[in-house]
Amino acid sequence: MIAIEKKQTSPHARDAVPPHSLEQITVLLGIDTWSADAFIRSLPFCAGDATAGVENEFQAVVVGRREDVDLPISIEASNYYKNLVKQAKSGDTPEKRVIALENFLGGTAVRPWENSWVRFPRSTLNPFANLVLNQDLKADKSNYASGYRNDAGMFVFKKAGEPHIRIPVSYLLKLSLAQAIGADTDLPPQVKNRGKKMMDHFSNDNSSPELFSFHPVKANTDSGLGAKLAGETLIRFLLTQALVRYAEDDFLLKANGQRVKVFFSATPPMRQRQLNDCISDAFYRELFMSPCLSGWDRGEEKHTYMNICHKVLSRSQINAVTRLKEAGIITSNLVVMPNLSNISLANNGTHISMGSIKLSSFLADKHSGFTDTDEKQVGDLAIKICEHFLPLFSTTFSASPHRLNFEDFHPERLLGFLPHELEDNHLRMIWRRWKKKANLKIMGHPLTPFGPVWLDRLISRSLGLKGDFIPDSRLIDYFVSVKSTFQSPALDGSPKGEAMLKKDLTEMGIFDERMPLYQLIRLRKQCEMGYSGFEHRYASIFEDITRDMGGAADLQLLITGLAQKYIFSKEVDHPMIPDSPEIESERRQIFFAGAIGLPTFFVKTRTRNLFLTKILQNVRKTRSSRRYPGYTRVYVKEYQQGLIRLLRKDGASLMEAFRMKPMVDDLEKRINDPGTHAAWGRLTSGILGEKKTDPMAMQGTAFNERAEAYYGDTLRKAHISQGFDQLERACETMKIWAGYRDAADGDALDKILGQEDLFEFLKAVRGEFCENTLARKRLKKLIYLIILVVNRDVNAFEASIQ
């Protein structure tokens, strides 16, 4: 059972059949209801039943001079730029557009160019890497006789008469791996074979590089899987850094003035936003939409689809302005229109997927009686339950701190896609409280920006209006989860619910039914993905991979197991969480309020969401709202603490079974002392560095630039160090087993390292890597060693599920 898997096409699902009753499903799945302990151990996702995998989206930066880096070269060589210059000279286009573009391109200094491609001589490719490139340029990689893509010419060019190639960094990583494993003819077979399979995991369809797990990890019978998942992620991240270094040397990138960085950073870079503001949406897509060279048999078709996604999101962003006016948030016709080109696809997050071996095996067995319809019925209810617990994750385990200036407080820009995610009343509540949090008042009267930036900055300086600081801005700047319609709820258990909702949203101009439904938690169907489970899609940046990602994964497993307990004990059913847009919005507003850093939210005192009522019974310090009659005011922090009380009470048996008391204790510290323990607090401290001042004491631009520098340098190095720590632990285990049980691994180690001691090699390589003095030959050995570790881990996982 593979817990995370990319597939371009899906096998046909079984014909829809009526769902079984919960009692029938309980019997079909063999859930033992005779004793409390047997019940817990027979539930899906419990007692070693869970597996997990991760998809990480990284920020890529090419550092170099304007004349050496692909992005500025491509802009200056484009007809768009040339036409713009001529139109400005003739007076047909405002000259300020050309000036803005020239300001982006700047002078000749070395600078970072986010999401730029790289270019290098094709002659640097060895035969195997060249073969991989030729195959990936095919129109249909599943057809050996296929010709090349129609756009294949955009990846090759000549410079001084010599053939060169230009590719995105996402594809550079795969090609670098191909170059490494094709460099030596006497590679140990397990390294060569595993390396070829690992290339398929460098998949990309957005602007930034994406990399998904080389293998899933499996929970033990009596423990979670967070530490294993974090370890697998760190090994992948370390390999990514090694491949970047290898490409810089072997492909002569460094010699040609290009240095590459790949790291965790959640929100679109400021300079990319700047560029987006002065070019057309079509030209933006030409520069930044992934060509989908890897991970898709028909990459050109996938590239066209990604262009559709960008167009749809740009249109949705404009439509959101109308929604704000209908909600009464925009009260005049004077608005600052969002850019016609939306940049949210440059957001980067981490998706953690969990699968159930039990559910997957029953669905794969045609004679089990458990059907796709049953999977959807139970899965949708589990998602609705788990969504109530999501405020425990954002800002605590992951975050993306961001500073907003006073001039940023235009609702049509700041509220992003929230008009398509929340009902009007919740949207109005959030906007009012957000303005209050940012203290946008003069003599007791609210004041928002007027529009002209020079005027708004003057007002800000004169009246001391500083703006705001938000702990997890990615979740506000991205289309995280679409809102259901009255006629087509997405999570009511109906097999056709998602398709009907996508059709409704397409007709409303908000979405496109060809796109997958954006959701905080997405059901991963066995008929489509090869496993049955859930993908959680809301994580931003983990300050500490082991501590933060590991803790988040364990908490995800705990609430998933608790949801199964609620469902199969009949404590919670679909009618308890009604499938209406209002009820859906009511629970999700808590999540968004936490991401913004709002202290309170409001729910109907007599809400029809009985599960939310159950949670609120564990929440202290609530009171009836004076501003909103019929509503109860709840503190976000108190709600989080109420969730922990509920976990300790209703999930006690699961916590004991998974040994998760330390994780829940740590979660409580994150909530009670966020500045010290929560991800947003630690990230903010890292960004501020030695200054250790209040983010509000800095201008927004200064703080955000400092944040980007911190992610690309300090945090990247910290994650590399964690990666080496994990590699050393993995090698220690492998060395022990190689000496006693697996002679093949021992032979492979000897072939890779020769007479050099494994741990002396790791110690030396670590220092040389961090000091940028690691020789190409030793770098190649490091890559081979990581592949060998991955091969051993894959074999161990496959043996664990036999």
Side-chain angles (χ1 to χ4, degrees):
M1 205 285 294
I2 301 299
I4 180 165
E5 181 178 343
K6 293 253 184 170
K7 290 193 176 182
Q8 185 159 302
T9 58
S10 303
H12 292 294
R14 303 174 200 170
D15 294 335
V17 296
H20 291 101
S21 67
L22 183 63
E23 291 81 3
Q24 290 172 319
I25 293 174
T26 302
V27 173
L28 289 173
L29 294 179
I31 295 174
D32 191 339
T33 59
W34 289 102
S35 71
D37 182 67
F39 175 65
I40 292 297
R41 292 192 170 276
S42 60
L43 288 173
F45 298 94
C46 298
D49 181 60
T51 62
V54 181
E55 178 185 63
N56 299 110
E57 298 168 343
F58 299 114
Q59 179 60 58
V61 173
V62 180
V63 180
R65 295 182 302 171
R66 173 177 178 173
E67 59 266 31
D68 295 326
V69 179
D70 183 79
L71 180 60
I73 291 173
S74 297
I75 292 173
E76 289 186 277
S78 68
N79 287 338
Y80 177 86
Y81 177 77
K82 294 173 182 176
N83 288 332
L84 194 66
V85 171
K86 291 183 178 179
Q87 289 167 357
K89 288 181 179 179
S90 66
D92 293 336
T93 295
E95 191 174 355
K96 64 180 182 180
R97 292 184 61 189
V98 178
I99 293 173
L101 196 49
E102 281 294 344
N103 286 339
F104 172 81
L105 293 172
T108 59
V110 173
R111 63 177 59 195
W113 303 90
E114 292 83 3
N115 290 315
S116 174
W117 292 18
V118 293
R119 43 178 63 201
F120 54 89
R122 184 159 190 171
S123 60
T124 59
L125 296 179
N126 63 33
F128 181 67
N130 197 57
L131 178 68
V132 170
L133 175 63
N134 282 329
Q135 179 63 23
D136 285 336
L137 290 178
K138 298 270 188 175
D140 184 355
K141 285 178 271 189
S142 65
N143 179 4
Y144 181 79
S146 172
Y148 289 115
R149 297 165 49 138
N150 292 320
D151 63 355
M154 70 182 291
F155 306 106
V156 296
F157 67 99
K158 284 193 174 184
K159 180 180 178 182
E162 182 182 0
H164 281 61
I165 62 174
R166 54 183 298 269
I167 52 175
V169 173
S170 56
Y171 186 66
L172 175 74
L173 297 173
K174 176 181 179 178
L175 208 58
S176 180
L177 179 55
Q179 182 87 349
I181 62 178
D184 293 331
T185 57
D186 60 342
L187 265 183
Q190 60 264 57
V191 173
K192 189 163 190 174
N193 295 334
R194 180 58 57 191
K196 289 179 179 179
K197 293 177 180 178
M198 288 163 63
M199 288 194 298
D200 293 335
H201 292 251
F202 292 86
S203 176
N204 173 258
D205 57 8
N206 283 349
S207 300
S208 304
E210 297 173 5
L211 179 59
F212 66 98
S213 291
F214 293 138
H215 62 88
V217 299
K218 181 178 178 293
N220 293 330
T221 304
D222 56 356
S223 69
L225 40 65
K228 293 181 180 179
L229 198 64
E232 191 279 332
T233 299
L234 285 168
I235 291 292
R236 276 187 297 116
F237 184 77
L238 182 60
L239 177 62
T240 300
Q241 303 306 308
L243 293 176
V244 165
R245 295 277 182 89
Y246 193 72
E248 285 181 339
D249 290 336
D250 241 43
F251 297 152
L252 302 182
L253 295 178
K254 189 164 53 176
N256 286 289
Q258 302 165 85
R259 298 297 301 264
V260 179
K261 288 185 177 181
V262 176
F263 52 91
F264 288 95
S265 181
T267 52
M270 293 177 64
R271 276 177 46 80
Q272 193 167 329
R273 289 183 186 272
Q274 176 190 345
L275 177 60
N276 186 57
D277 286 339
C278 57
I279 62 176
S280 70
D281 60 332
F283 191 46
Y284 177 88
R285 288 192 289 274
E286 182 180 330
L287 292 173
F288 293 113
M289 288 296 97
S290 170
C292 305
L293 286 170
S294 179
W296 319 97
D297 283 343
R298 294 179 291 279
E300 194 173 6
E301 291 181 11
K302 182 66 176 179
H303 173 62
T304 301
Y305 162 80
M306 292 310 301
N307 283 335
I308 292 172
C309 290
H310 183 258
K311 291 178 183 178
V312 169
L313 292 176
S314 299
R315 181 185 65 193
S316 297
Q317 178 184 234
I318 300 300
N319 288 346
V321 177
T322 302
R323 291 281 300 111
L324 290 171
K325 190 169 184 180
E326 291 172 352
I329 292 175
I330 295 177
T331 56
S332 71
N333 290 325
L334 183 63
V335 298
V336 176
M337 288 296 292
N339 196 301
L340 292 176
S341 175
N342 181 267
I343 198 173
S344 68
L345 284 175
N347 272 284
N348 303 313
T350 292
H351 304 162
I352 299 178
S353 296
M354 289 190 177
S356 163
I357 298 173
K358 171 178 279 194
L359 294 179
S360 302
S361 61
F362 273 86
L363 286 162
D365 182 359
K366 295 180 180 179
H367 305 292
S368 70
F370 186 65
T371 67
D372 304 329
T373 307
D374 300 327
E375 178 190 32
K376 184 74 163 63
Q377 180 190 11
V378 176
D380 281 358
L381 181 54
I383 290 173
K384 290 194 291 186
I385 294 170
C386 289
E387 280 192 1
H388 292 79
F389 290 88
L390 295 190
L392 293 175
F393 291 87
S394 172
T395 75
T396 54
F397 289 105
S398 74
S400 52
H402 192 76
R403 263 288 275 123
L404 297 163
N405 290 323
F406 169 73
E407 62 264 26
D408 296 319
F409 267 83
H410 297 282
E412 58 271 26
R413 287 189 170 181
L414 204 56
L415 291 176
F417 292 100
L418 285 177
H420 301 315
E421 298 173 300
L422 298 175
E423 286 289 277
D424 290 354
N425 58 332
H426 299 131
L427 200 59
R428 287 190 293 267
M429 291 173 179
I430 280 181
W431 181 237
R432 183 190 67 79
R433 284 172 288 143
W434 199 347
K435 290 188 293 182
K436 180 180 179 181
K437 172 176 176 267
N439 197 24
L440 301 183
K441 282 188 177 182
I442 297 298
M443 300 178 66
H445 296 284
L447 180 67
T448 51
F450 292 93
V453 175
W454 67 268
L455 176 60
D456 292 334
R457 288 177 178 169
L458 177 63
I459 293 172
S460 174
R461 288 194 299 268
S462 303
L463 302 178
L465 299 173
K466 295 183 178 180
D468 194 23
F469 170 79
I470 55 177
D472 203 345
S473 65
R474 173 182 175 268
L475 298 175
I476 310 303
D477 194 37
Y478 189 65
F479 207 161
V480 179
S481 189
V482 298
K483 180 180 62 176
S484 293
T485 63
F486 287 99
Q487 296 299 316
S488 304
L491 298 172
D492 66 346
S494 167
K496 297 182 180 180
E498 293 179 18
M500 292 174 64
L501 175 58
K502 288 197 286 186
K503 186 175 185 299
D504 286 358
L505 296 175
T506 300
E507 292 171 351
M508 295 164 66
I510 296 172
F511 211 65
D512 190 294
E513 54 189 321
R514 289 170 289 185
M515 297 165 61
L517 204 61
Y518 290 176
Q519 293 176 302
L520 288 161
I521 305 173
R522 182 185 292 171
L523 180 64
R524 307 314 267 163
K525 302 172 186 176
Q526 198 272 344
C527 66
E528 295 176 354
M529 301 301 296
Y531 73 96
S532 180
F534 305 97
E535 180 189 36
H536 288 231
R537 301 170 50 84
Y538 43 78
S540 298
I541 301 172
F542 298 106
E543 190 266 346
D544 184 309
I545 302 297
T546 302
R547 177 181 175 187
D548 293 329
M549 178 188 278
D554 280 339
L555 179 58
Q556 184 176 323
L557 177 60
L558 178 61
I559 65 170
T560 302
L562 181 58
Q564 303 298 313
K565 177 176 180 284
Y566 281 142
I567 293 169
F568 289 103
S569 65
K570 302 181 183 178
E571 292 182 62
V572 183
D573 57 16
H574 273 288
M576 284 185 66
I577 311 174
D579 293 287
S580 72
E582 181 184 14
I583 298 298
E584 191 177 77
S585 176
E586 185 178 48
R587 67 177 181 264
R588 291 177 183 171
Q589 57 140 350
I590 311 170
F591 174 77
F592 290 117
I596 296 169
L598 301 179
T600 59
F601 63 92
F602 301 85
V603 298
K604 281 190 174 180
T605 304
R606 296 185 177 181
T607 177
R608 293 186 296 119
N609 185 343
L610 299 183
F611 186 68
L612 181 57
T613 300
K614 174 184 174 70
I615 295 172
L616 293 176
Q617 290 171 352
N618 293 272
V619 177
R620 299 165 186 168
K621 298 181 182 179
T622 65
R623 69 165 176 81
S624 297
S625 172
R626 292 186 290 268
R627 179 178 293 273
Y628 303 111
Y631 282 82
T632 297
R633 189 186 75 168
V634 185
Y635 281 97
V636 173
K637 183 175 179 178
E638 293 292 335
Y639 180 82
Q640 292 172 317
Q641 291 173 335
L643 288 173
I644 292 178
R645 294 186 193 103
L646 191 64
L647 284 173
R648 292 190 187 279
K649 182 174 62 177
D650 291 357
S653 55
L654 289 164
M655 286 174 57
E656 182 180 356
F658 291 143
R659 297 184 181 178
M660 286 192 183
K661 185 180 181 300
M663 180 275 294
V664 177
D665 291 342
D666 174 64
L667 172 61
E668 200 159 21
K669 291 179 182 177
R670 292 170 186 260
I671 291 169
N672 293 333
D673 188 5
T676 303
H677 297 286
W680 78 260
R682 286 182 280 117
L683 284 170
T684 302
S685 294
I687 292 166
L688 295 172
E690 295 179 358
K691 293 186 176 182
K692 299 299 181 189
T693 184
D694 184 350
M696 295 301 295
M698 301 176 66
Q699 278 292 313
T701 302
F703 178 87
N704 297 331
E705 286 178 347
R706 195 176 182 91
E708 290 183 7
Y710 168 73
Y711 300 144
D713 187 41
T714 306
L715 191 62
R716 178 178 61 89
K717 290 177 180 177
H719 290 156
I720 289 173
S721 180
Q722 281 193 294
F724 272 109
D725 289 343
Q726 180 62 33
L727 180 62
E728 288 171 5
R729 287 191 292 268
C731 285
E732 185 174 355
T733 303
M734 185 172 66
K735 184 74 172 176
I736 293 172
W737 285 110
Y740 291 96
R741 289 182 54 178
D742 197 337
D745 280 351
D747 293 341
L749 278 172
D750 291 341
K751 184 168 283 190
I752 293 170
L753 299 179
Q755 299 301 313
E756 192 168 6
D757 178 75
L758 172 61
F759 299 105
E760 289 296 325
F761 170 79
L762 285 173
K763 181 180 179 181
V765 162
R766 181 174 189 158
E768 293 164 5
F769 192 93
C770 294
E771 294 171 6
N772 289 318
T773 60
L774 185 60
R776 174 183 175 276
K777 185 176 181 181
R778 291 171 67 76
L779 177 59
K780 194 166 53 173
K781 289 183 178 182
L782 175 63
I783 293 172
Y784 296 159
L785 181 60
I786 294 174
I787 295 173
L788 185 62
V789 166
V790 171
N791 184 68
R792 180 185 178 279
D793 290 343
V794 171
N795 293 338
F797 169 77
E798 291 176 350
S800 73
I801 60 172
Q802 296 300 321

